[in-house]
Amino acid sequence: MTDGALDVVIIGGGHNGLVAAAYLARAGRRVQVLERLDHVGGAAVSAHAFDGVDARLSRYSYLVSLLPQRIVTDLGARIRLSRRRISSYTPDPASGGATGLLIGPRPTFEAIGAGTDASGFSDFYRRCGLVTSRIWPTLLQPLRTRSEMRGNVLSGQDAETAAAWEALIDRPIGEAITAAVSNDLVRGVMATDALIGTFADLDDPSLIQNVCFLYHLIGGGTGDWDVPVPPPIRW
Ligand SMILES: Cc1cc2nc3c(=O)[nH]c(=O)nc-3n(C[C@H](O)[C@H](O)[C@H](O)COP(=O)(O)OP(=O)(O)OC[C@H]3O[C@@H](n4cnc5c(N)ncnc54)[C@H](O)[C@@H]3O)c2cc1C
């Protein structure tokens, strides 16, 4: 390298570009980040959305569930995250929105006539956790192949974990959601994490909806939620 030369040029100053640049710089590389906007942060910035209202709102990414503590520590990032207690609230069209399904410390399955789905909902996310809690620690390691990851997740585990892997990774996620609960509104709330932004459907053979679902759940599979019902990670 000659004086003034760069080792790495990163196009885009979103959070991924910034994290990569920070790690490279700490490793002694000369890095330049090129950002087309007048600010960095990409989709993870908030903005004044309403004239005259002194509040900054997220425009895109508004929940953090995929930021390992190790990155915060490694980079000395000064960041304070707050845990939300309510995962989501979905008004029930059947009652014109007078009732709805709240997912949080005291979920309201009864209010929408889905009391019998409460345990199925909870057990569904417990089974998801059997898989996601074993994928999460690998997030900062070299990417494993599907079969390597399967071996990693199932090693020493029982048949229930193998079934959870199949439901979450191998089969269209619509099958597991449909089997777990019977109320359409509850199914819709669960399905949102699989469908949002994908334009897929729950039974899509490409399984792109499973990928989307996994990303939403993986950070919540670490078991550190403080609510009795493990909530979906709604973006
Ligand atoms: C509506 C919505 C909601 C979301 N909600 C969440 C959420 O709640 N939680 C979550 O974890 N994720 C969420 N996501 C996903 C998340 O926003 C992305 O995964 C994340 O922003 C990706 O980060 P990034 O740094 O790779 O890219 P980005 O954040 O997209 O940043 C890319 C940067 O590159 C710049 N750029 C692009 N092209 C060029 C160029 N040619 N030259 C120079 N600069 C360029 C852009 O201006 C931008 O600053 C959401 C996404 C959307 C769309």
Side-chain angles (χ1 to χ4, degrees):
M1 189 180 82
T2 58
D3 276 355
L6 295 166
D7 295 310
V8 182
V9 175
I10 294 176
I11 314 291
H15 67 78
N16 282 322
L18 294 176
V19 166
Y23 270 110
L24 287 162
R26 281 172 179 250
R29 299 291 191 273
R30 295 191 201 187
V31 188
Q32 185 166 51
V33 178
L34 301 179
E35 168 55 53
R36 65 179 172 169
L37 302 178
D38 61 3
H39 62 269
V40 294
V45 297
S46 53
H48 283 106
F50 307 106
D51 288 343
V53 179
D54 188 21
R56 290 170 64 88
L57 304 181
S58 163
R59 284 187 292 198
Y60 298 104
S61 304
Y62 45 91
L63 291 178
V64 176
S65 64
L66 294 170
L67 176 60
Q69 178 59 38
R70 183 173 151 203
I71 292 180
V72 177
T73 305
D74 282 352
L75 302 184
R78 290 189 299 278
I79 180 172
R80 187 172 68 84
L81 300 175
S82 299
R83 184 176 297 276
R84 65 189 172 142
R85 292 184 57 72
I86 304 299
S87 177
S88 67
Y89 178 77
T90 308
D92 186 359
S95 65
T99 57
L101 177 59
L102 183 137
I103 302 296
R106 286 186 294 279
T108 59
F109 290 95
E110 298 281 358
I112 61 162
T116 55
D117 276 343
S119 60
F121 181 93
S122 181
D123 195 54
F124 173 85
Y125 289 105
R126 181 191 63 78
R127 284 182 275 118
C128 289
L130 297 175
V131 175
T132 57
S133 63
R134 294 186 177 96
I135 295 178
W136 171 255
T138 73
L139 214 62
L140 297 181
Q141 298 169 5
L143 191 61
R144 288 165 167 76
T145 64
R146 182 193 187 108
S147 59
E148 286 169 346
M149 187 65 85
R150 185 177 187 280
N152 184 66
V153 168
L154 300 193
S155 171
Q157 302 306 313
D158 56 15
E160 189 180 37
T161 306
W165 173 277
E166 187 180 1
L168 198 55
I169 308 295
D170 292 337
R171 305 288 313 161
I173 193 67
E175 294 179 8
I177 292 174
T178 306
V181 297
S182 57
N183 180 282
D184 269 353
L185 189 67
V186 180
R187 287 175 174 171
V189 167
M190 296 161 79
T192 304
D193 282 331
L195 302 181
I196 191 164
T198 65
F199 301 103
D201 64 56
L202 283 179
D203 302 314
D204 197 309
S206 75
L207 301 184
I208 188 74
Q209 73 279 26
N210 290 47
V211 175
C212 182
F213 194 73
L214 187 61
Y215 270 111
H216 278 111
L217 258 68
I218 191 173
T222 54
D224 58 356
W225 291 96
D226 60 358
V227 294
V229 177
I233 316 297
R234 180 66 33 73
W235 285 0

